[in-house]
Amino acid sequence: MKNNYATLGSQLGNDICTVEDTEEIFWLRMSDDYQSKSKAGDLLVRQYRFKDAITEYQNACRIKNDDFMLYIKLGGAYLTLFKFEEAEKYYNKALEYGAKEENIAFYFGVMNFLKGNYSEAISYFEKVNTNNGEMLISVIYWHSVASLKNDSQPSFLEKYNENIDVGHHTAYKTAVSLFAEKIEYNNIIIPENSLDAVIVQYGICEYLKHKKQTTEIKRYAEHLLNHMDVWPCIAYLAAYNDWRNNLNIRSC
């Protein structure tokens, strides 16, 4: 059975991407209209083929260059590839063409978080439009993790209460409950779903680092990084980035 998702190594490294176009993607890429190019990029993103998606988004941009949603998509693809300069360029273009800062502040926050600029990340997370429980719990999680890494007070924990309707973001809620010390980390059952497992375990790792309880961190981190089927999610990228930076430090 063919792999339908590009690997981390093919997108963040030099491995060959073996994922092929679906028939729909093939015909969309053959078309020369804006909607087809943009949709081709969207479908390539679903295959984790961010390099190819950027090509199609760029082609769409040559046809129509005033759609801020396209620039948000380009920024996200570059951000996933850790190409921060390009990501920032396109997020700023999105603002230029009408996107509201409160609606893309989360992406700026993630970008600065991955760059290690935790104070800036915190500032952006505080600007996010949190008009629903799903976004609120996500922002509380990332604001808190950035604060822990920044050795500052995770003040957004004050916004948390157990009755927030978090929708499908239950993994974020579990980790935030840990940050708020409503539960013990060793009582947390790691979800079977890969995405939820990564979010919860990354939260546990950062909590344990903050508490200087280092003995368990390696185990959680290793389990987290094994979930390579969701490597483009923010929590996986953050954990991978931490692991890569630690390797660089040790090699110095």
Side-chain angles (χ1 to χ4, degrees), residues 26-248:
F26 172 81
W27 287 113
L28 287 169
R29 296 179 83 171
M30 293 292 289
S31 301
D32 58 3
D33 63 286
Y34 174 79
Q35 293 296 336
S36 295
K37 295 297 184 186
S38 181
K39 186 174 181 182
D42 294 345
L43 295 179
L44 288 162
V45 163
R46 291 183 194 175
Q47 290 186 324
Y48 301 171
R49 294 167 64 189
F50 295 94
K51 293 177 180 178
D52 291 330
I54 286 170
T55 298
E56 295 308 313
Y57 288 145
Q58 294 282 19
N59 288 336
C61 195
R62 293 186 185 97
I63 301 168
K64 178 179 170 63
N65 65 0
D66 60 354
D67 184 354
F68 69 78
M69 279 304 304
L70 181 62
Y71 292 126
I72 291 174
K73 292 175 181 179
L74 270 164
Y78 276 116
L79 180 58
T80 304
L81 300 179
F82 292 100
K83 294 184 179 295
F84 302 125
E85 186 175 340
E86 291 90 342
E88 185 171 13
K89 168 187 170 182
Y90 285 109
Y91 286 142
N92 282 326
K93 273 189 168 290
L95 290 172
E96 180 184 341
Y97 283 98
K100 294 181 179 179
E101 184 182 25
E102 64 181 12
N103 292 333
I104 63 171
F106 184 79
Y107 308 129
F108 278 105
V110 171
M111 180 181 69
N112 279 284
F113 184 96
L114 294 176
K115 290 170 69 176
N117 298 334
Y118 302 118
S119 293
E120 289 86 347
I122 290 166
S123 295
Y124 276 112
F125 290 137
E126 291 175 353
K127 296 176 182 178
V128 175
N129 178 6
T130 54
N131 60 359
N132 63 69
E134 291 185 9
M135 180 54 75
L136 176 59
I137 200 68
S138 302
V139 171
I140 294 173
Y141 176 99
W142 287 107
H143 185 281
S144 298
V145 174
S147 298
L148 294 178
K149 284 182 170 291
N150 198 49
D151 293 321
S152 56
Q153 179 64 29
S155 58
F156 264 33
L157 286 177
E158 296 174 0
K159 297 178 178 290
Y160 172 70
N161 70 74
E162 296 179 358
N163 296 319
I164 295 175
D165 181 5
V166 301
H168 68 282
H169 284 182
T170 54
Y172 280 131
K173 185 176 182 180
T174 298
V176 169
S177 296
L178 173 64
F179 302 154
E181 301 192 330
K182 303 291 186 183
I183 54 176
E184 298 287 336
Y185 81 91
N186 48 11
N187 289 331
I188 294 175
I189 298 173
I190 305 302
E192 293 184 6
N193 174 275
S194 288
L195 178 59
D196 290 344
V198 168
I199 291 169
V200 169
Q201 289 180 106
Y202 187 65
I204 292 173
C205 286
E206 293 308 311
Y207 176 83
L208 293 176
K209 287 179 191 175
H210 177 69
K211 292 294 184 179
K212 304 190 187 309
Q213 299 178 22
T214 58
T215 54
E216 295 271 36
I217 293 174
K218 183 178 179 181
R219 177 170 68 89
Y220 282 108
E222 288 178 348
H223 288 172
L224 184 168
L225 291 170
N226 283 334
H227 290 282
M228 296 191 72
D229 55 319
V230 293
W231 72 261
C233 79
I234 301 169
Y236 193 100
L237 291 174
Y240 174 78
N241 199 39
D242 290 345
W243 171 80
R244 185 175 62 174
N245 290 338
N246 286 336
L247 279 184
N248 291 337

